[in-house]
Amino acid sequence: GREREREKNKETKKQRKNEISKLGVECLPIFLSLPSARSSSMNRTKQSAQGVITGLFGPRPSAGAAVVYTREQFLTRETLVAIRTVCPMFGDLFSWKVRCQIDPELSPYRSAVKSIGVSPDVVDFIFLRDILAGREAHGFALPAGVTKEVASSIDHGAVNAVFLPMQRSARQHSLQVACGPFLDKLLKDVNADRSTSPRLYLYSMHDTLLLPVLAALGVFTKENKHWPPFAADVSFEMFTDKNNKRFVRTTYLDKEVTVEGCGSVYCPFEKFKSVVDQYALHEEKYLKKCQSREFKGIVKHNSVSH
């Protein structure tokens, strides 16, 4: 992951400079300024962050450009990976393993894994997908007996297991518990005073958090459901016009995307904020929501059944 990120971001730096040149706009010197890098407390995301910084700043960045990790209190306040110890209701609402085994909408995918000797009663599509994705990223062939069709079914099963809670009646609540604290931080960082704050913020997270973030933006939808590939990234770039009006351009996998409700790739900041704000939650509100009786009722209503 670290090597992939390093090489990818070398190219990203060149592409961004070319894009800025073609747009004919003035650009703050991002690659000379102090970045803010934040990783979850898991080692693999730290190494990915190292790869991004090395790719953007070179193998020997200045002291000011070094990555500074914030090791959060993993069991109580982690915000870059959603875990049950922080929000028990997250575990109830996003019970992926249980959902893989009993949700009626995943029945076709459960049938597909019988051919490789996996019982539908114990299948975990996300776990299986991780194995196959890891093999592919390292150049290994599919395991014996696993055809491309079976691999595709596993991938679709994993995607749907994550997506189903986000399309049912509790969509807003599901996204708030899945990525609310991160979106709250994102809005604060995007809206920070550029003269006194970093010009580049980096968040190294997990695919299971990236998925709900994409859903909140309207990029991950029922019609466009694909698991983020290895080393996937989302970027938010702030532009200001001659009237000092701000716009946010969003890219996913280095391609421009239109945030839901914006109508254009260049989304007016206030509109971007209103879209993201639906799901952003300050830490205190987030923890309170996770423990509320109202939310327990929503979880029960939104849960899967035999």
Side-chain angles (χ1 to χ4, degrees), residues 30 57 86 134 136 144 148 150 172 235 255 259 276-277 288 303:
I30 290 178
F57 294 91
V86 175
E136 180 183 10
K148 290 184 178 179
V150 171
Q172 183 178 29
S235 69
K255 295 181 179 179
V259 173
V276 177
D277 221 17
K288 184 177 180 180
S303 61

Side-chain angles (χ1 to χ4, degrees), residues 217-219 247-250 256-272 274-275:
L217 298 172
V219 176
F247 299 84
V248 178
R249 183 178 76 152
T250 304
E256 294 179 336
V257 294
T258 301
V259 173
E260 186 176 29
C262 284
S264 170
V265 169
Y266 292 90
C267 184
F269 175 71
E270 291 305 320
K271 183 63 179 177
F272 176 84
S274 69
V275 172

Side-chain angles (χ1 to χ4, degrees), residues 8-9 12-13 15-16 19 30-31 52 56 182 186 190 199-203 205 210 213-214 217 219 231-239 247-259 265 267 272:
K8 177 181 177 180
N9 280 276
T12 296
K13 182 177 180 178
Q15 291 172 8
R16 289 291 186 267
E19 288 173 4
I30 290 178
F31 300 111
V52 173
L56 293 176
F182 166 72
L186 172 67
V190 170
R199 292 171 183 168
L200 174 65
Y201 289 90
L202 167 68
Y203 317 96
M205 60 177 68
L210 185 58
V213 170
L214 293 172
L217 298 172
V219 176
D233 68 286
V234 179
S235 69
F236 305 96
E237 297 170 313
M238 181 74 80
F239 289 81
F247 299 84
V248 178
R249 183 178 76 152
T250 304
T251 63
Y252 174 51
L253 303 178
D254 293 325
K255 295 181 179 179
E256 294 179 336
V257 294
T258 301
V259 173
V265 169
C267 184
F272 176 84

Side-chain angles (χ1 to χ4, degrees), residues 287-305:
L287 294 175
K288 184 177 180 180
K289 188 179 191 69
C290 287
Q291 305 298 330
S292 70
R293 289 184 177 180
E294 172 197 13
F295 192 59
K296 290 180 181 179
I298 292 169
V299 169
K300 183 177 180 180
H301 176 73
N302 197 54
S303 61
V304 297
S305 59

Side-chain angles (χ1 to χ4, degrees), residues 15-164:
Q15 291 172 8
R16 289 291 186 267
K17 286 186 173 180
N18 289 336
E19 288 173 4
I20 292 299
S21 177
K22 290 178 181 179
L23 287 172
V25 298
E26 221 178 301
C27 180
L28 294 174
I30 290 178
F31 300 111
L32 299 178
S33 62
L34 175 67
S36 169
R38 189 184 184 104
S39 165
S40 79
S41 52
M42 296 186 183
N43 192 52
R44 60 184 181 272
T45 57
K46 293 180 181 180
Q47 292 192 7
S48 293
Q50 285 180 327
V52 173
I53 293 297
T54 304
L56 293 176
F57 294 91
R60 292 175 178 267
S62 65
V67 179
V68 178
Y69 295 117
T70 301
R71 181 175 179 85
E72 303 180 270
Q73 298 175 11
F74 180 74
L75 297 179
T76 58
R77 299 182 63 186
E78 178 69 77
T79 59
L80 292 182
V81 53
I83 54 175
R84 188 171 187 141
T85 51
V86 175
C87 183
M89 292 304 112
F90 170 82
D92 293 336
L93 193 53
F94 287 88
S95 297
W96 294 319
K97 188 171 183 178
V98 174
R99 192 178 302 281
C100 288
Q101 296 165 10
I102 67 174
D103 196 301
E105 293 192 43
L106 300 183
S107 179
Y109 310 119
R110 283 195 294 274
S111 299
V113 299
K114 287 182 179 179
S115 63
I116 58 173
V118 177
S119 170
D121 296 329
V122 297
V123 65
D124 181 345
F125 291 114
I126 296 172
F127 175 72
L128 292 175
R129 190 204 166 278
D130 281 348
I131 294 174
L132 298 183
R135 292 180 68 89
E136 180 183 10
H138 290 86
F140 293 106
L142 291 173
V146 179
T147 64
K148 290 184 178 179
E149 290 73 21
V150 171
S152 178
S153 291
I154 290 172
D155 187 77
H156 282 87
V159 170
N160 281 281
V162 175
F163 184 70
L164 288 176

